[in-house]
Amino acid sequence: MTSDTGIPRHVAIVMDGNGRWAKRRYLPRVFGHKAGVDTLVKTVLACADRGIEHLTVFAFSSENWKRPTEEVSFLMGLVLVAVEKYLARLASRGVRIRMIGDRNQLTERLRQACDHAESSTAHNTRITLWVAFAYGGRWDIVQACRAAMRAGVKPEELDEATLGRYMSFGDAPDPDLLIRTGGEVRISNFLLWQAAYSELVFSDCLWPDFDEDELDKAIRAYADRDRRFGLVKATVPVAEQATGT
Ligand code: FPP
């Protein structure tokens, strides 16, 4: 079983299915992304209400640059619109915002909007929303290695704990629960390092339709899991157990 409360400290979400949600309504794909932002805001607040301390969402992957130019531009613009429309509300509800990803790929305007979202919510402590933008799990590992090398860490000093400190979350706990909406059953280069022991929940729900019921369903599935972190189960005699996974 999981922690006493059954509530994960850190939830990560691959918000998939925006395009299909729009297509089903005979709308252009970007309408799905727009609806996805509204769902994201509701989900952050729902997570905070449940005592979840960290929520990480995959908003734009390293691979999403390959999408049609108009869709990429729309998603970039959507961040600016979202900051304008929702920042004050999230800030007043105790949400701290952190952006993770390759900022060098962003325009100056977008970088400034991200900086503003982070600095104006830095004092908040209720929940941290980590927005993974221009992010890839492989990118994160490479940037962490580079940062460690730049800091002069010697090869023989490099271990998992040391490298972990250079990864995007720094000291934040690894995700306990990773949810992917939209029916696909894969990680898609999300938190490759940090999700090593996350419980995975896949939902057919398209992201704009994700709601509190879906969140609670995922939390219940998580609470029913037997988290072993590669250890053997204490209640079963060791001789009866297969290798821990
Ligand atoms: C995947 O759906 C979703 C994305 C690539 C973008 C997710 C972004 C948001 C929900 C907006 C977040 C924005 C901010 C400002 C943080 P898809 O397009 O791959 O859907 P499909 O699989 O149905 O085509």
Side-chain angles (χ1 to χ4, degrees):
M1 289 287 171
T2 52
S3 68
D4 289 344
T5 61
I7 295 293
R9 284 186 73 192
H10 186 165
V11 173
I13 307 183
V14 178
M15 307 180 288
D16 197 13
N18 294 345
R20 279 164 286 162
W21 182 92
K23 196 169 168 203
R24 282 182 194 175
R25 286 161 179 75
Y26 305 100
L27 294 167
R29 292 174 54 79
V30 294
F31 279 72
H33 297 316
K34 204 159 164 285
V37 176
D38 297 335
T39 300
L40 171 57
V41 172
K42 286 185 209 141
T43 304
V44 183
L45 299 177
C47 285
D49 286 346
R50 283 156 182 75
I52 292 162
E53 296 167 44
H54 299 268
L55 172 67
T56 301
V57 293
F58 209 3
F60 191 87
S61 75
S62 309
E63 290 70 34
N64 286 156
W65 293 110
K66 297 179 199 135
R67 292 193 173 205
T69 320
E70 313 80 63
E71 187 171 340
V72 171
S73 307
F74 184 87
L75 283 165
M76 299 292 146
L78 197 54
V79 177
L80 300 173
V81 171
V83 168
E84 177 114 342
K85 187 169 171 196
Y86 291 114
L87 182 61
R89 189 188 310 174
L90 292 175
S92 71
R93 303 285 293 272
V95 180
R96 177 174 77 132
I97 297 176
R98 295 291 305 273
M99 308 289 295
I100 57 173
D102 187 357
R103 288 194 192 208
N104 294 326
Q105 305 239 27
L106 308 183
T107 61
E108 184 53 32
R109 193 157 166 230
L110 208 47
R111 271 199 294 271
Q112 279 174 10
C114 295
D115 290 346
H116 174 56
E118 288 188 330
S119 59
S120 58
T121 59
H123 55 284
N124 284 339
T125 55
R126 191 162 169 234
I127 186 171
T128 301
L129 170 64
W130 301 85
V131 181
F133 202 88
Y135 178 89
R138 290 179 174 176
W139 166 84
D140 200 1
I141 294 168
V142 171
Q143 72 76 25
C145 292
R146 286 183 174 162
M149 288 162 87
R150 274 196 299 272
V153 176
K154 299 194 178 66
E156 58 278 16
E157 291 167 355
L158 192 69
D159 55 17
E160 292 181 15
T162 309
L163 188 58
R165 284 196 284 277
Y166 292 94
M167 304 289 300
S168 288
F169 290 133
D171 289 336
D174 285 342
D176 304 292
L177 167 63
L178 191 154
I179 303 167
R180 179 175 185 143
T181 62
E184 309 289 355
V185 187
R186 55 177 170 260
I187 300 284
S188 297
N189 195 20
F190 193 22
L191 305 165
L192 298 183
W193 176 275
Q194 300 89 340
Y197 282 100
S198 303
E199 295 298 329
L200 309 180
V201 170
F202 297 96
S203 161
D204 288 333
C205 169
L206 303 177
W207 174 248
D209 291 330
F210 191 83
D211 57 13
E212 297 203 25
D213 286 346
E214 284 291 325
L215 176 64
D216 289 334
K217 222 192 294 175
I219 294 173
R220 275 199 301 278
Y222 164 82
D224 283 343
R225 301 277 174 89
D226 178 15
R227 301 192 81 194
R228 290 162 59 183
F229 298 98
L231 300 170
V232 288
K233 230 173 160 177
T235 50
V236 178
V238 173
E240 291 175 22
Q241 296 187 35
T243 317
T245 52

